[in-house]
Amino acid sequence: MAIRMTRRITRRDFAALAGGLLVSAKAVSIKALAQTETPLLTRAIPSSGESIAAVGLGTAYVFDEDNETTRSKADAVVQALLKNGGRLVDTASTYGDAESVLGEVTATGGLRDKLFIATKLEAPDAQELKRSLARLKTAKVDLLQLHNVSRKQQSLARFKEWKAQGVCRYIGITCTTRRDYPAVEAVLEREKPDFVQIDYSLDNRGAEKTILPLAAEMKAGVLTAIPYGNGRLFHAVHGKQLPDWARVFANSWGQFFLKYLLADPRVTAVIPGTADPAHMTDNTGAMRGPLPDADQRRRMVEFVEGL
Ligand SMILES: NC(=O)c1ccc[n+]([C@@H]2O[C@H](COP(=O)([O-])OP(=O)(O)OC[C@H]3O[C@@H](n4cnc5c(N)ncnc54)[C@H](OP(=O)(O)O)[C@@H]3O)[C@@H](O)[C@H]2O)c1
């Protein structure tokens, strides 16, 4: 009996050890993958086929006040984005001084041509556009979005004119309020913008069944706003270790949360907000190594729902 028990324990221990070794070997390999020059995750913008790095930077809240401290943080964050292969920066006319801070950093560093700049207007208003371009210190933006679409009849006619005039290369709409999804769907279907920006995170998946399928049908690129639930996801896992099964595709909680979104091929890019260059580097790490498969994604949802 003692021998049989010993054998059973030994086998179990061996299996656990072997499993552990396998996990740590995989964890090492994903770390190595992330650190070396493995291919960067890029996505094609559906309306043009232009390739864009799949992790960008959001600038809501983080660059609100134009002062030396903010500019130096913004510069470090943008440099970290570029150094790690990213390009997309999303801002808005209403994000405090963010457009001005970004414009200053871009002009001082001669970075304009390296970045894909997306901004948002509250309305199709030429004065608002002029102000945004002046603050961003640029003659044209890459993506011009109509912010917070909430009415089905909202038109993108002026945005289309501006695109034709070369003021922007792409046009888009944004929304982060579930009750406005019907308006977003109507505008998406009728106006066929190049992009739709929508709230989508591991714990807020409403867009999966509504906006994402329609965006794919309309051939609109998808930017996921608030991919960390504005930090809510980090609070939920505070003090918790990344589970071993997730270490095969993620090096950090940030990458765990972003890779869930990036594993959906309908997502063009995620735009987490950060004022911290180390976080920016962590976020861009989600463009390296494997993405979770369908089973792993189901497990990720169960995990987050169980928190
Ligand atoms: N209606 C709209 O169109 C709309 C609405 C909301 C947002 N957006 C867009 O979506 C972007 C993202 O949304 P958001 O900034 O509100 O929320 P978020 O990206 O979900 O979360 C941002 C928070 O996560 C933290 N964070 C970022 N990277 C991290 C990392 N690797 N590790 C730990 N913490 C990390 C940031 O803190 P640190 O600064 O310390 O890194 C910040 O507190 C906005 O900036 C904006 O561009 C659009």
Side-chain angles (χ1 to χ4, degrees), residues 155-177:
S155 163
L156 291 180
R158 285 306 295 283
F159 280 61
K160 287 176 185 170
E161 281 171 28
W162 289 330
K163 181 176 162 180
Q165 290 161 11
V167 175
C168 57
R169 298 198 299 129
Y170 299 101
I171 58 170
I173 55 174
T174 84
C175 169
T176 53
T177 310

Side-chain angles (χ1 to χ4, degrees), residues 57-63 73 77 89-92 94-95 118 120 122 145-149 173-177 197-201 223-235 252-255 257-258 270-284:
L57 165 68
T59 63
Y61 315 113
V62 286
F63 304 141
K73 270 190 200 168
V77 169
V89 184
D90 179 70
T91 189
T94 50
Y95 291 173
K120 314 182 190 81
E122 298 305 296
Q145 303 158 106
L146 182 58
H147 201 188
N148 293 331
V149 161
I173 55 174
T174 84
C175 169
T176 53
T177 310
Q197 182 178 147
I198 202 76
D199 54 320
Y200 181 30
S201 61
L223 304 183
T224 74
I226 330 183
Y228 293 139
N230 195 238
R232 186 176 62 236
L233 282 165
F234 289 110
H235 290 294
S252 66
W253 281 117
Q255 293 172 18
F257 301 135
L258 296 183
V270 296
I271 46 166
T274 184
D276 181 336
H279 286 170
M280 187 73 258
T281 299
D282 180 30
N283 296 341
T284 52

